[in-house]
Amino acid sequence: MTAQLQIENFSLVFRTRQGMVRALEDVSLWITGSEIVGVVGESGSGKSVLAYAIMGLQDAAAQVTGGRITFGGMDMLGASEEALVDVRGREIAMIFQSPRTALNPIRRVGRQIEDILSQHANVPASKLRSQAIAALERVHIPDPERRYKAYPFELSGGMCQRVMIAMALACSPSLLIADEPTTGLDVTTQAVIMDLIREMSRSSRMATLLITHDLALAGEYCDRIAVMHAGHLVEIAPVAELLHHPAHPYTRQLLAATPTPHSSIEDLVSIPGQLPDLRGDLPACRFSGRCERHAPICDERPLPWATLSPTHHVRCRSPL
Amino acid sequence: MRDTTLGRNIVHAFGENRLTLVAVGILLLLLLCAMFGQSLAPYDPLTTDGAAKLSSPSSTHPFGTDALGRDILSRVMVAARLDLGMAISAVVLSFTLGLTLGAVAGYFGGWPDRIVGRLMDTIMAFPLFVLAMGIVAALGNTELNIILATMIINLPFYSRFARGEVNVRREMGYVEAARMGGNKALPVLINHIIPNILPPMMVQASLNMGWAILNAAGLSFIGLGVRPPTPEWGIMVSEGASFIISGEWWTFVFPGAALVLAVFCFNLLGDGLRDLLDPRRRI
Amino acid sequence: MSFVWKRLLGTVPSLAGVIVVTFLLSHALPGDPAAYFAGPAANAVSIAEVRAKLGLDQSLPLQFLHYLGDLARGDLGHSLTTGQPVVTDLLQRLPASMELTFFALVFAVAIAIPMGVWAATRPDSLVDHVCRATVSVAAAFPTFFVGLLLVYVFYFLLDLAPEPVGRLNEILYTVPPHVTGMYTLDSLIAGDWPVLAASLAQLVLPAISLGLFALAPIARITRAAMLQSLGSDFTRTARASGLKRGKILFTYAFRNALLPVSNVLGMVFSFLLGANVLIEQVYGWQGIGAYAVNAVLASDYAAVQGFVLMMAVLYVLLNLLVDLAGTLIDPRVRFEA
């Protein structure tokens, strides 16, 4: 089976006035079928940069320095802008955090869905409206005819995120990238939105890349989880294995810092230290400065992957 | 910590942005003219010379002479005092009054706020230059009234700015702390809030200065306030205007250029100061 | 429609303030109009007579009531210099000023908005820097000086522009039959092409000089607003949705940038109406600005007062128009109202 999305040894830097920021280094990840893969890390770990790079929407200061990204056989890094525009919204869709600001504030939400339909799906003008309403209906928005005419400021945050999902799914993409989709929503709405994303993923055989800082959330909804730290992908494993047998010291610390139904607030341990400055020279293992298991061998390059099982990989010299 | 960022901003504003430095230099030169123009000028600005009417720029008269044979360079130099003087006095007056009104309105709220707000709204309901014309017409055609009119039309900008800044700061921790410490309202306003809003107000003032110069010069261009033969840039441009169709360009170009230079330098200085104080607003 | 009524009601305090100020300017300030009106040969008795005739011997509140009554009847008094009712004078000259201001605004908007958008799509590029430099230099030029420079260059040196003799060279052309009072429109209605061309030619330089002053604030705010909306979350969504570049730029970013742009238009109108006076002076344009300058210099109180009042009312109405346009652009404003 060929993977939908394949990222191989991908590296990206930002060229800034203060120097080169090595935002992503040697990241590899694949996703296929209708699985949900979580990319988890602190803010600044590069997970959103990765998401934008997949879409070809990276910042102007960003420069790809190595690796490949292919999607359904298409070389995303070498593709022309026209080809990328055609893929975005049709084959790969994306939803964001703070859905209220992610929607155009002065355009009716129905029209925003129509914009995508007419761009990608060759829907005749006469059917745009009914298809936009159908898209709203599919994400269980009550009274879709009325909501079609609403402006974002007239809707709640959760409702706006549903609209975003309706927009994303309007053209039945085969990959959904959800960048912190529940941030800024209240807790009950978070669960509803994540349930909806899971339901859509299963029913339309769409792969989902869930970008989140919340390991508990990823643990609940994902099939596999990739942990990122300071631009490195440090561990990837099926959910149960990652949660119960974390192999990377960082993953274990993340777990210790994540509240679960069985732990109390007092049990939570914060992660010592800060993310290293990504400018200038960096150690082979970017976690070494924060790691209690750090040994001289850790500084030798290149830092190898350790395979614990066919599906569980960790990038550490002395995994747990 | 604060010092280092401020230091870095100074380096940016004056180092990377050398234009601001040039502007400061030119402004100092203009201020020099304003203070000592009378003694620096090569000729007396009022002495006419029938033999040298409308002579084009030359080594004896670098900016040429006007219809009465007066040396334009000398007149431009001496005029700096009146033009800058009018603008600076107007800005200082509206700064002081606007700061007071705005601070009181912003700090106490309630009816002082409503009255000041209504007053400023009323001023802003007029096209400002037109209001200035009306004020000068009503108060009398003098230089002092030009200053007053320019002061009044600038007032809303300072008052509103001060009100907004005070309003924001009233809720801030250090002010709250001062109030909890048993300080009375007025001392808190004067000792804790106003010193903090002075720097952004100064930026506002230097950005405003160019506009004040343009207004005062505009009023004297249409014949208000300053009377001939007093040297003033606006009125000199107006006097020179009649010689355009006969080609004596120097009569209006030099005083006009002096105006442009002064306004441009004040604008640059204002931009530079703003960068210095608040690099985020650099657009 | 209720928001339209609310906006209309919102102009009432401004108009009331304007009326009070114009009243104060003419009635409560130093200087004795009665002495002026009575003439240089007047004695105390004749001045008192004039004062009584003008109602200046009454108390201020009573004078204010009279003033309101006069306003209600559309009576702004008589001009000393023309001998006509001030209202007649102003209405006669208003179309000339409106025509000039309109063309200046069109010029400014037509240059400034594309310039701002262009600069915003290429921040920190050469285009951006050139735009910023142009804008800051343009902001430093006094309108009247620009007007004179343009006359010198395009009339005297290059002979491209017609002689600056006002709205139409009446030695060569006849004024078109009066319909709107705007020569371009009237000649269009009359189908008189040579006069249309001539009046347009007369308009070019004054409109550009006036428009240049408005250019800087519009371009600056367009650039800032476009930068903000291009960097906003919804533009990112539009890009991630694979919308075409033109659609993102105009339907998404530009429409959102229009609101801040329309907000500075109020300030721009204030500049334009004020600078109008100066430009009319430079080009011998027979509008209300030139009329007002003569009135001020001649201490023609009624005319000045009428001019200030008319400009203020015009300005309030223009702001109302901008405000209503804003509600068309942004549904949120409509919702709040």
Side-chain angles (χ1 to χ4, degrees), chain C residues 83-122:
Chain C
Q84 292 203 72
V86 170
V87 177
T88 316
D89 277 348
L90 287 173
L91 288 181
Q92 200 182 343
R93 288 165 175 80
L94 185 63
S97 300
M98 296 305 296
E99 193 174 30
L100 175 57
T101 311
F102 175 76
F103 275 91
L105 187 68
V106 168
F107 166 77
V109 166
I111 303 277
I113 289 193
M115 198 160 129
V117 170
W118 195 19
T121 51
R122 291 165 184 76

mmCIF file of all heavy atoms in Angstrom, chain C residues 83-122:
data_model
loop_
_atom_site.group_PDB
_atom_site.id
_atom_site.type_symbol
_atom_site.label_atom_id
_atom_site.label_comp_id
_atom_site.label_asym_id
_atom_site.label_seq_id
_atom_site.Cartn_x
_atom_site.Cartn_y
_atom_site.Cartn_z
ATOM 1 N N GLY C 83 -23.222 92.342 -1.912
ATOM 2 C CA GLY C 83 -24.545 92.913 -1.732
ATOM 3 C C GLY C 83 -25.659 91.892 -1.881
ATOM 4 O O GLY C 83 -26.842 92.205 -1.755
ATOM 5 N N GLN C 84 -25.307 90.648 -2.147
ATOM 6 C CA GLN C 84 -26.328 89.610 -2.328
ATOM 7 C C GLN C 84 -26.522 88.824 -1.028
ATOM 8 O O GLN C 84 -25.667 88.872 -0.153
ATOM 9 C CB GLN C 84 -25.848 88.627 -3.384
ATOM 10 C CG GLN C 84 -25.774 89.197 -4.763
ATOM 11 C CD GLN C 84 -25.838 88.078 -5.780
ATOM 12 O OE1 GLN C 84 -26.897 87.489 -5.970
ATOM 13 N NE2 GLN C 84 -24.726 87.748 -6.374
ATOM 14 N N PRO C 85 -27.618 88.073 -0.916
ATOM 15 C CA PRO C 85 -27.732 87.151 0.225
ATOM 16 C C PRO C 85 -26.565 86.158 0.181
ATOM 17 O O PRO C 85 -26.200 85.682 -0.895
ATOM 18 C CB PRO C 85 -29.060 86.425 -0.006
ATOM 19 C CG PRO C 85 -29.822 87.293 -0.918
ATOM 20 C CD PRO C 85 -28.825 88.037 -1.753
ATOM 21 N N VAL C 86 -26.013 85.872 1.341
ATOM 22 C CA VAL C 86 -24.851 84.975 1.414
ATOM 23 C C VAL C 86 -25.200 83.597 0.850
ATOM 24 O O VAL C 86 -24.400 82.974 0.146
ATOM 25 C CB VAL C 86 -24.365 84.866 2.875
ATOM 26 C CG1 VAL C 86 -23.327 83.761 3.014
ATOM 27 C CG2 VAL C 86 -23.778 86.184 3.333
ATOM 28 N N VAL C 87 -26.436 83.135 1.134
ATOM 29 C CA VAL C 87 -26.838 81.815 0.638
ATOM 30 C C VAL C 87 -26.745 81.768 -0.880
ATOM 31 O O VAL C 87 -26.224 80.808 -1.455
ATOM 32 C CB VAL C 87 -28.286 81.489 1.088
ATOM 33 C CG1 VAL C 87 -28.717 80.163 0.519
ATOM 34 C CG2 VAL C 87 -28.377 81.476 2.592
ATOM 35 N N THR C 88 -27.242 82.815 -1.518
ATOM 36 C CA THR C 88 -27.197 82.864 -2.977
ATOM 37 C C THR C 88 -25.753 82.799 -3.471
ATOM 38 O O THR C 88 -25.423 82.019 -4.369
ATOM 39 C CB THR C 88 -27.831 84.170 -3.476
ATOM 40 O OG1 THR C 88 -29.034 84.395 -2.745
ATOM 41 C CG2 THR C 88 -28.122 84.116 -4.957
ATOM 42 N N ASP C 89 -24.914 83.627 -2.848
ATOM 43 C CA ASP C 89 -23.499 83.645 -3.231
ATOM 44 C C ASP C 89 -22.878 82.262 -3.116
ATOM 45 O O ASP C 89 -22.196 81.798 -4.028
ATOM 46 C CB ASP C 89 -22.723 84.591 -2.295
ATOM 47 C CG ASP C 89 -22.842 86.033 -2.739
ATOM 48 O OD1 ASP C 89 -23.327 86.245 -3.867
ATOM 49 O OD2 ASP C 89 -22.472 86.926 -1.956
ATOM 50 N N LEU C 90 -23.121 81.626 -1.971
ATOM 51 C CA LEU C 90 -22.481 80.338 -1.713
ATOM 52 C C LEU C 90 -22.990 79.277 -2.683
ATOM 53 O O LEU C 90 -22.205 78.523 -3.260
ATOM 54 C CB LEU C 90 -22.723 79.902 -0.268
ATOM 55 C CG LEU C 90 -21.941 80.670 0.792
ATOM 56 C CD1 LEU C 90 -22.390 80.260 2.192
ATOM 57 C CD2 LEU C 90 -20.446 80.427 0.638
ATOM 58 N N LEU C 91 -24.310 79.217 -2.850
ATOM 59 C CA LEU C 91 -24.865 78.179 -3.716
ATOM 60 C C LEU C 91 -24.395 78.361 -5.155
ATOM 61 O O LEU C 91 -24.201 77.393 -5.876
ATOM 62 C CB LEU C 91 -26.397 78.194 -3.648
ATOM 63 C CG LEU C 91 -26.958 77.662 -2.333
ATOM 64 C CD1 LEU C 91 -28.481 77.688 -2.348
ATOM 65 C CD2 LEU C 91 -26.465 76.253 -2.050
ATOM 66 N N GLN C 92 -24.210 79.608 -5.525
ATOM 67 C CA GLN C 92 -23.734 79.896 -6.870
ATOM 68 C C GLN C 92 -22.314 79.362 -7.076
ATOM 69 O O GLN C 92 -21.963 78.905 -8.161
ATOM 70 C CB GLN C 92 -23.734 81.405 -7.036
ATOM 71 C CG GLN C 92 -23.736 81.887 -8.455
ATOM 72 C CD GLN C 92 -23.680 83.411 -8.469
ATOM 73 O OE1 GLN C 92 -23.942 84.080 -7.461
ATOM 74 N NE2 GLN C 92 -23.346 83.951 -9.615
ATOM 75 N N ARG C 93 -21.503 79.419 -6.022
ATOM 76 C CA ARG C 93 -20.095 79.034 -6.161
ATOM 77 C C ARG C 93 -19.821 77.599 -5.728
ATOM 78 O O ARG C 93 -18.750 77.063 -6.007
ATOM 79 C CB ARG C 93 -19.228 79.976 -5.326
ATOM 80 C CG ARG C 93 -19.138 81.361 -5.921
ATOM 81 C CD ARG C 93 -18.607 82.353 -4.915
ATOM 82 N NE ARG C 93 -18.394 83.674 -5.489
ATOM 83 C CZ ARG C 93 -19.363 84.550 -5.689
ATOM 84 N NH1 ARG C 93 -20.607 84.260 -5.369
ATOM 85 N NH2 ARG C 93 -19.086 85.730 -6.219
ATOM 86 N N LEU C 94 -20.784 77.002 -5.046
ATOM 87 C CA LEU C 94 -20.562 75.654 -4.522
ATOM 88 C C LEU C 94 -20.217 74.626 -5.612
ATOM 89 O O LEU C 94 -19.292 73.838 -5.446
ATOM 90 C CB LEU C 94 -21.772 75.197 -3.704
ATOM 91 C CG LEU C 94 -21.604 73.854 -3.000
ATOM 92 C CD1 LEU C 94 -20.482 73.919 -1.982
ATOM 93 C CD2 LEU C 94 -22.903 73.439 -2.318
ATOM 94 N N PRO C 95 -20.968 74.595 -6.743
ATOM 95 C CA PRO C 95 -20.665 73.560 -7.748
ATOM 96 C C PRO C 95 -19.212 73.592 -8.193
ATOM 97 O O PRO C 95 -18.611 72.531 -8.394
ATOM 98 C CB PRO C 95 -21.596 73.917 -8.914
ATOM 99 C CG PRO C 95 -22.706 74.654 -8.289
ATOM 100 C CD PRO C 95 -22.115 75.426 -7.147
ATOM 101 N N ALA C 96 -18.628 74.787 -8.317
ATOM 102 C CA ALA C 96 -17.228 74.881 -8.744
ATOM 103 C C ALA C 96 -16.325 74.159 -7.754
ATOM 104 O O ALA C 96 -15.442 73.379 -8.140
ATOM 105 C CB ALA C 96 -16.816 76.337 -8.862
ATOM 106 N N SER C 97 -16.567 74.395 -6.467
ATOM 107 C CA SER C 97 -15.732 73.761 -5.446
ATOM 108 C C SER C 97 -15.961 72.263 -5.403
ATOM 109 O O SER C 97 -15.021 71.481 -5.232
ATOM 110 C CB SER C 97 -16.033 74.354 -4.072
ATOM 111 O OG SER C 97 -15.766 75.724 -4.074
ATOM 112 N N MET C 98 -17.232 71.854 -5.530
ATOM 113 C CA MET C 98 -17.534 70.428 -5.485
ATOM 114 C C MET C 98 -16.859 69.696 -6.642
ATOM 115 O O MET C 98 -16.314 68.608 -6.485
ATOM 116 C CB MET C 98 -19.052 70.191 -5.573
ATOM 117 C CG MET C 98 -19.853 70.738 -4.416
ATOM 118 S SD MET C 98 -19.286 70.124 -2.830
ATOM 119 C CE MET C 98 -19.637 68.395 -3.006
ATOM 120 N N GLU C 99 -16.912 70.327 -7.803
ATOM 121 C CA GLU C 99 -16.314 69.725 -8.990
ATOM 122 C C GLU C 99 -14.816 69.509 -8.774
ATOM 123 O O GLU C 99 -14.281 68.427 -9.007
ATOM 124 C CB GLU C 99 -16.549 70.654 -10.181
ATOM 125 C CG GLU C 99 -16.271 70.041 -11.522
ATOM 126 C CD GLU C 99 -16.662 70.983 -12.650
ATOM 127 O OE1 GLU C 99 -16.602 72.210 -12.461
ATOM 128 O OE2 GLU C 99 -17.032 70.488 -13.725
ATOM 129 N N LEU C 100 -14.151 70.545 -8.271
ATOM 130 C CA LEU C 100 -12.709 70.468 -8.025
ATOM 131 C C LEU C 100 -12.389 69.397 -6.987
ATOM 132 O O LEU C 100 -11.514 68.547 -7.189
ATOM 133 C CB LEU C 100 -12.220 71.841 -7.554
ATOM 134 C CG LEU C 100 -10.759 71.945 -7.135
ATOM 135 C CD1 LEU C 100 -9.849 71.503 -8.262
ATOM 136 C CD2 LEU C 100 -10.437 73.374 -6.719
ATOM 137 N N THR C 101 -13.131 69.410 -5.877
ATOM 138 C CA THR C 101 -12.866 68.446 -4.808
ATOM 139 C C THR C 101 -13.102 67.023 -5.291
ATOM 140 O O THR C 101 -12.330 66.119 -4.991
ATOM 141 C CB THR C 101 -13.765 68.739 -3.599
ATOM 142 O OG1 THR C 101 -13.673 70.128 -3.285
ATOM 143 C CG2 THR C 101 -13.348 67.924 -2.398
ATOM 144 N N PHE C 102 -14.178 66.861 -6.072
ATOM 145 C CA PHE C 102 -14.502 65.526 -6.565
ATOM 146 C C PHE C 102 -13.368 64.982 -7.440
ATOM 147 O O PHE C 102 -12.908 63.854 -7.252
ATOM 148 C CB PHE C 102 -15.811 65.563 -7.347
ATOM 149 C CG PHE C 102 -16.155 64.260 -7.998
ATOM 150 C CD1 PHE C 102 -16.644 63.208 -7.239
ATOM 151 C CD2 PHE C 102 -15.963 64.065 -9.360
ATOM 152 C CE1 PHE C 102 -16.946 61.994 -7.832
ATOM 153 C CE2 PHE C 102 -16.262 62.861 -9.962
ATOM 154 C CZ PHE C 102 -16.752 61.825 -9.195
ATOM 155 N N PHE C 103 -12.908 65.807 -8.373
ATOM 156 C CA PHE C 103 -11.835 65.331 -9.254
ATOM 157 C C PHE C 103 -10.555 65.061 -8.466
ATOM 158 O O PHE C 103 -9.834 64.110 -8.743
ATOM 159 C CB PHE C 103 -11.586 66.329 -10.390
ATOM 160 C CG PHE C 103 -12.516 66.120 -11.551
ATOM 161 C CD1 PHE C 103 -13.724 66.794 -11.620
ATOM 162 C CD2 PHE C 103 -12.199 65.228 -12.563
ATOM 163 C CE1 PHE C 103 -14.595 66.589 -12.678
ATOM 164 C CE2 PHE C 103 -13.065 65.013 -13.623
ATOM 165 C CZ PHE C 103 -14.270 65.696 -13.683
ATOM 166 N N ALA C 104 -10.286 65.902 -7.469
ATOM 167 C CA ALA C 104 -9.092 65.693 -6.649
ATOM 168 C C ALA C 104 -9.181 64.373 -5.903
ATOM 169 O O ALA C 104 -8.221 63.607 -5.840
ATOM 170 C CB ALA C 104 -8.930 66.843 -5.651
ATOM 171 N N LEU C 105 -10.365 64.090 -5.381
ATOM 172 C CA LEU C 105 -10.545 62.850 -4.619
ATOM 173 C C LEU C 105 -10.387 61.644 -5.535
ATOM 174 O O LEU C 105 -9.726 60.656 -5.182
ATOM 175 C CB LEU C 105 -11.929 62.847 -3.959
ATOM 176 C CG LEU C 105 -12.170 61.686 -3.012
ATOM 177 C CD1 LEU C 105 -11.291 61.825 -1.788
ATOM 178 C CD2 LEU C 105 -13.636 61.614 -2.607
ATOM 179 N N VAL C 106 -10.985 61.739 -6.721
ATOM 180 C CA VAL C 106 -10.867 60.632 -7.675
ATOM 181 C C VAL C 106 -9.401 60.397 -8.020
ATOM 182 O O VAL C 106 -8.911 59.272 -8.017
ATOM 183 C CB VAL C 106 -11.685 60.929 -8.954
ATOM 184 C CG1 VAL C 106 -11.332 59.944 -10.060
ATOM 185 C CG2 VAL C 106 -13.171 60.870 -8.643
ATOM 186 N N PHE C 107 -8.685 61.503 -8.260
ATOM 187 C CA PHE C 107 -7.252 61.380 -8.568
ATOM 188 C C PHE C 107 -6.506 60.707 -7.417
ATOM 189 O O PHE C 107 -5.752 59.757 -7.619
ATOM 190 C CB PHE C 107 -6.671 62.770 -8.849
ATOM 191 C CG PHE C 107 -5.169 62.807 -8.847
ATOM 192 C CD1 PHE C 107 -4.449 62.329 -9.931
ATOM 193 C CD2 PHE C 107 -4.485 63.306 -7.749
ATOM 194 C CE1 PHE C 107 -3.069 62.352 -9.915
ATOM 195 C CE2 PHE C 107 -3.103 63.327 -7.735
ATOM 196 C CZ PHE C 107 -2.390 62.847 -8.823
ATOM 197 N N ALA C 108 -6.764 61.197 -6.193
ATOM 198 C CA ALA C 108 -6.032 60.673 -5.037
ATOM 199 C C ALA C 108 -6.323 59.197 -4.825
ATOM 200 O O ALA C 108 -5.412 58.390 -4.627
ATOM 201 C CB ALA C 108 -6.395 61.475 -3.786
ATOM 202 N N VAL C 109 -7.600 58.837 -4.894
ATOM 203 C CA VAL C 109 -7.984 57.442 -4.646
ATOM 204 C C VAL C 109 -7.431 56.540 -5.753
ATOM 205 O O VAL C 109 -6.909 55.456 -5.487
ATOM 206 C CB VAL C 109 -9.528 57.332 -4.543
ATOM 207 C CG1 VAL C 109 -9.962 55.891 -4.641
ATOM 208 C CG2 VAL C 109 -9.996 57.947 -3.239
ATOM 209 N N ALA C 110 -7.511 57.022 -6.990
ATOM 210 C CA ALA C 110 -7.078 56.205 -8.122
ATOM 211 C C ALA C 110 -5.584 55.915 -8.050
ATOM 212 O O ALA C 110 -5.118 54.890 -8.532
ATOM 213 C CB ALA C 110 -7.413 56.896 -9.440
ATOM 214 N N ILE C 111 -4.810 56.820 -7.469
ATOM 215 C CA ILE C 111 -3.370 56.581 -7.362
ATOM 216 C C ILE C 111 -3.047 55.859 -6.041
ATOM 217 O O ILE C 111 -2.296 54.897 -6.015
ATOM 218 C CB ILE C 111 -2.576 57.911 -7.397
ATOM 219 C CG1 ILE C 111 -2.894 58.682 -8.656
ATOM 220 C CG2 ILE C 111 -1.087 57.649 -7.239
ATOM 221 C CD1 ILE C 111 -2.133 58.268 -9.863
ATOM 222 N N ALA C 112 -3.632 56.370 -4.962
ATOM 223 C CA ALA C 112 -3.186 55.932 -3.636
ATOM 224 C C ALA C 112 -3.566 54.486 -3.350
ATOM 225 O O ALA C 112 -2.774 53.743 -2.778
ATOM 226 C CB ALA C 112 -3.771 56.846 -2.561
ATOM 227 N N ILE C 113 -4.762 54.068 -3.741
ATOM 228 C CA ILE C 113 -5.188 52.714 -3.369
ATOM 229 C C ILE C 113 -4.384 51.641 -4.114
ATOM 230 O O ILE C 113 -3.829 50.751 -3.465
ATOM 231 C CB ILE C 113 -6.724 52.571 -3.508
ATOM 232 C CG1 ILE C 113 -7.346 53.396 -2.383
ATOM 233 C CG2 ILE C 113 -7.146 51.113 -3.454
ATOM 234 C CD1 ILE C 113 -8.788 53.177 -2.142
ATOM 235 N N PRO C 114 -4.254 51.735 -5.443
ATOM 236 C CA PRO C 114 -3.396 50.735 -6.088
ATOM 237 C C PRO C 114 -1.967 50.762 -5.558
ATOM 238 O O PRO C 114 -1.342 49.720 -5.374
ATOM 239 C CB PRO C 114 -3.424 51.145 -7.566
ATOM 240 C CG PRO C 114 -4.644 51.962 -7.725
ATOM 241 C CD PRO C 114 -4.884 52.636 -6.413
ATOM 242 N N MET C 115 -1.473 51.975 -5.262
ATOM 243 C CA MET C 115 -0.120 52.104 -4.747
ATOM 244 C C MET C 115 0.015 51.392 -3.393
ATOM 245 O O MET C 115 0.970 50.639 -3.176
ATOM 246 C CB MET C 115 0.177 53.589 -4.579
ATOM 247 C CG MET C 115 1.605 53.956 -4.464
ATOM 248 S SD MET C 115 1.736 55.716 -4.868
ATOM 249 C CE MET C 115 2.642 56.280 -3.493
ATOM 250 N N GLY C 116 -0.949 51.620 -2.518
ATOM 251 C CA GLY C 116 -0.914 50.998 -1.199
ATOM 252 C C GLY C 116 -1.009 49.482 -1.297
ATOM 253 O O GLY C 116 -0.289 48.753 -0.616
ATOM 254 N N VAL C 117 -1.903 49.010 -2.187
ATOM 255 C CA VAL C 117 -2.082 47.561 -2.343
ATOM 256 C C VAL C 117 -0.804 46.946 -2.894
ATOM 257 O O VAL C 117 -0.311 45.929 -2.401
ATOM 258 C CB VAL C 117 -3.269 47.267 -3.292
ATOM 259 C CG1 VAL C 117 -3.306 45.790 -3.663
ATOM 260 C CG2 VAL C 117 -4.578 47.680 -2.647
ATOM 261 N N TRP C 118 -0.257 47.619 -3.888
ATOM 262 C CA TRP C 118 0.955 47.116 -4.533
ATOM 263 C C TRP C 118 2.086 47.028 -3.519
ATOM 264 O O TRP C 118 2.790 46.014 -3.422
ATOM 265 C CB TRP C 118 1.312 48.048 -5.692
ATOM 266 C CG TRP C 118 2.301 47.484 -6.658
ATOM 267 C CD1 TRP C 118 2.618 46.165 -6.813
ATOM 268 C CD2 TRP C 118 3.077 48.214 -7.593
ATOM 269 N NE1 TRP C 118 3.547 46.034 -7.807
ATOM 270 C CE2 TRP C 118 3.850 47.278 -8.313
ATOM 271 C CE3 TRP C 118 3.204 49.564 -7.921
ATOM 272 C CZ2 TRP C 118 4.730 47.653 -9.303
ATOM 273 C CZ3 TRP C 118 4.081 49.934 -8.928
ATOM 274 C CH2 TRP C 118 4.836 48.984 -9.611
ATOM 275 N N ALA C 119 2.258 48.091 -2.750
ATOM 276 C CA ALA C 119 3.331 48.117 -1.759
ATOM 277 C C ALA C 119 3.121 47.019 -0.716
ATOM 278 O O ALA C 119 4.070 46.386 -0.282
ATOM 279 C CB ALA C 119 3.407 49.480 -1.091
ATOM 280 N N ALA C 120 1.862 46.784 -0.347
ATOM 281 C CA ALA C 120 1.591 45.801 0.702
ATOM 282 C C ALA C 120 1.846 44.377 0.226
ATOM 283 O O ALA C 120 2.199 43.508 1.016
ATOM 284 C CB ALA C 120 0.154 45.939 1.182
ATOM 285 N N THR C 121 1.659 44.136 -1.081
ATOM 286 C CA THR C 121 1.884 42.773 -1.559
ATOM 287 C C THR C 121 3.376 42.486 -1.687
ATOM 288 O O THR C 121 3.768 41.345 -1.799
ATOM 289 C CB THR C 121 1.217 42.526 -2.929
ATOM 290 O OG1 THR C 121 1.613 43.571 -3.813
ATOM 291 C CG2 THR C 121 -0.286 42.498 -2.809
ATOM 292 N N ARG C 122 4.181 43.532 -1.702
ATOM 293 C CA ARG C 122 5.638 43.328 -1.770
ATOM 294 C C ARG C 122 6.320 44.118 -0.675
ATOM 295 O O ARG C 122 7.075 45.041 -0.944
ATOM 296 C CB ARG C 122 6.162 43.802 -3.132
ATOM 297 C CG ARG C 122 5.716 42.948 -4.280
ATOM 298 C CD ARG C 122 5.949 43.675 -5.600
ATOM 299 N NE ARG C 122 5.442 42.904 -6.702
ATOM 300 C CZ ARG C 122 4.160 42.798 -6.999
ATOM 301 N NH1 ARG C 122 3.257 43.434 -6.263
ATOM 302 N NH2 ARG C 122 3.754 42.058 -8.010
#
